[in-house]
Structure formats: structure tokens, C-alpha cells
Amino acid sequence: EVQLVESGGGLVQPGRSLKLSCAASGFTFSNYYMAWVRQAPKKGLEWVATISTSGSRTYYPDSVKGRFTISRDNAKSSLYLQMNSLKSEDTATYYCARTATTKGYYFDYWGQGVMVTVSS
Amino acid sequence: DIQMTQSPASLSASLGETVTIECLASEDIYDILAWYQQKPGKSPQLLIYDASSLHTGVPSRFSGSGSGTQYSLKINSLQPEDFASYYCQNGLSALTFGSGTKLEIK
């Protein structure tokens, strides 16, 4: 059974940093692209970052580019999201998601999510 | 970035009814589109990928269709567990989502 378990969320002040982690199990982690997707309270879904199987390629939307860094440790089956210069608009539930690459990029399994609140 | 316009924003329907949700891309996405279901307090779940392929374990009452810029999700014979929010997602570039459709019981 595919399992993705996020951790590291919490309350953080604007301008500070936070690092999220995602522990994966139930599949061969190193064979899959992985991603982070977030959802602000009562809002829709927003893709945040994607990383290739080896970690050599990373992708971000403009809203987080230069502030967030996605990384992975295949030996530990773990995914990370380093978030710097946090803003109030980064307040959201952050989901770790396995990425299926058929014709495109889809999120076929999701973690339960971890809440990040950016507030003074 | 590719914009995804989803409609309607909300929808009321009865058990056993058939409903359709639409998604319009701002440019051709070559059938590279997914649909997700999200229940309150839960994480999203993949239903459909590549516009019309059913994800593992998804009931056959769910179907997807479309091409170019226009796509739709159809749910036949609504069951109690289908009342949820639904999102489309462009899988081609920038991985943008539609704004969602909340399906409520009438």
C-alpha cells in the first residue's frame, strides 16, 4: 500500500523558514517523480514543486520560485520542501504527492497533508 | 501559464442522477488532463488521467472525455459517497488546477 506521511508543519513568522518532510513507503520511491501541492484554507489546489527521480531536475511555479526548494533522499525514501522567506499567502495545507508520468504529470497518491501557518 | 476554467462552481443533484462538470483550458493541452475528487478534511484522490483513463479502483460510473481545450467529467447514477469537490488539472505544463466544483446533495 502506498503511504505518504508529511511532517514539519506549524506556525511560523513572516520572513522565517520552515522545512517539510514526507516519508514514503509501499512503492519504489526512486522510480517516481514527486511533488508538493498546497491548499489554502477554503481554497483550491496549487502545485508548488516537482522533482525528478534522481533529484537532478526541479520545477516550480513563479509564486514560490527562488524561495522554496524541493529535494529528496532516495536512500531514505524521503521528500523535502525547504521554504524560505515565508509570506502570509503561503499559509496552507501542504500535500506530498507521488507523480505519475504517463502522457503528462499527474498526482496519483497523496499524503494526509500538513498545515503551515505564516503569521506574526 | 495555462489557465483552467472549471464550471459550474457548485452543483446540486439527487441520488441516482447523472451530472457533468466542465473544464476549459486556455490553450490546447492535448488530452493531458486529470480529474480529482476531494472530500471535506481529506486529501484529493485521482479519478481520471489522460482525459479519459480511469485510475485504479475508481468506479466505472466516473468517466472523462474531451480534447483540445474542452474537457468534461461525467458521474452516472450518483451515490452518497460522490458528494464532494472535484478539480481538473492540466498535466502538460505549470500543472495548474481548475477552481473546483462542489457537488452537493439536493
Side-chain angles (χ1 to χ4, degrees):
Chain A
E1 179 193 5
V2 172
Q3 286 201 322
L4 299 167
V5 180
E6 302 95 337
S7 60
L11 174 64
V12 60
Q13 293 179 329
R16 303 298 290 265
S17 299
L18 197 66
K19 186 173 184 176
L20 305 181
S21 300
C22 171
S25 61
F27 65 102
T28 304
F29 182 74
S30 58
N31 286 353
Y32 287 86
Y33 278 51
M34 295 295 295
W36 291 95
V37 178
R38 69 184 179 185
Q39 186 171 35
K42 306 292 187 185
K43 299 294 186 183
L45 300 166
E46 180 186 18
W47 164 68
V48 171
T50 292
I51 189 167
S52 64
T53 52
S54 66
S56 60
R57 286 169 290 172
T58 57
Y59 309 90
Y60 308 91
D62 289 344
S63 58
V64 307
K65 195 176 293 182
R67 298 189 300 123
F68 289 13
T69 302
I70 188 172
S71 62
R72 65 191 297 162
D73 184 336
N74 285 342
K76 295 183 178 179
S77 295
S78 293
L79 179 73
Y80 306 100
L81 184 68
Q82 177 68 46
M83 303 184 292
N84 298 332
S85 303
L86 281 162
K87 307 175 182 180
S88 58
E89 52 263 42
D90 295 319
T91 293
T93 296
Y94 284 73
Y95 296 102
C96 166
R98 193 178 83 168
T99 302
T101 51
T102 53
K103 290 172 62 175
Y105 296 87
Y106 309 116
F107 311 112
D108 63 350
Y109 291 93
W110 301 60
Q112 83 286 353
V114 63
M115 186 68 199
V116 172
T117 302
V118 183
S119 175
S120 54
Chain B
D1 291 355
I2 298 173
Q3 307 302 316
M4 306 300 292
T5 303
Q6 192 173 334
S7 62
S10 63
L11 182 56
S12 293
S14 302
L15 291 173
E17 271 193 53
T18 294
V19 298
T20 300
I21 298 168
E22 308 281 344
C23 193
L24 177 67
S26 59
E27 60 186 80
D28 193 333
I29 57 171
Y30 307 100
D31 302 351
I32 303 177
L33 179 111
W35 291 96
Y36 299 86
Q37 176 193 69
Q38 186 179 30
K39 297 179 181 179
K42 300 293 186 182
S43 54
Q45 294 189 323
L46 178 64
L47 297 174
I48 302 279
Y49 63 94
D50 292 345
S52 60
S53 296
L54 213 58
H55 182 52
T56 305
V58 175
S60 58
R61 64 180 180 274
F62 291 90
S63 62
S65 63
S67 63
T69 62
Q70 298 186 345
Y71 299 88
S72 61
L73 172 70
K74 184 178 180 181
I75 313 172
N76 289 315
S77 187
L78 280 168
Q79 300 299 301
E81 60 269 28
D82 299 337
F83 293 92
S85 292
Y86 293 86
Y87 295 89
C88 61
Q89 178 235 327
N90 130 56
L92 179 62
S93 71
L95 309 186
T96 44
F97 289 86
S99 54
T101 295
K102 187 173 183 179
L103 176 57
E104 298 176 309
I105 192 163
K106 188 182 289 183

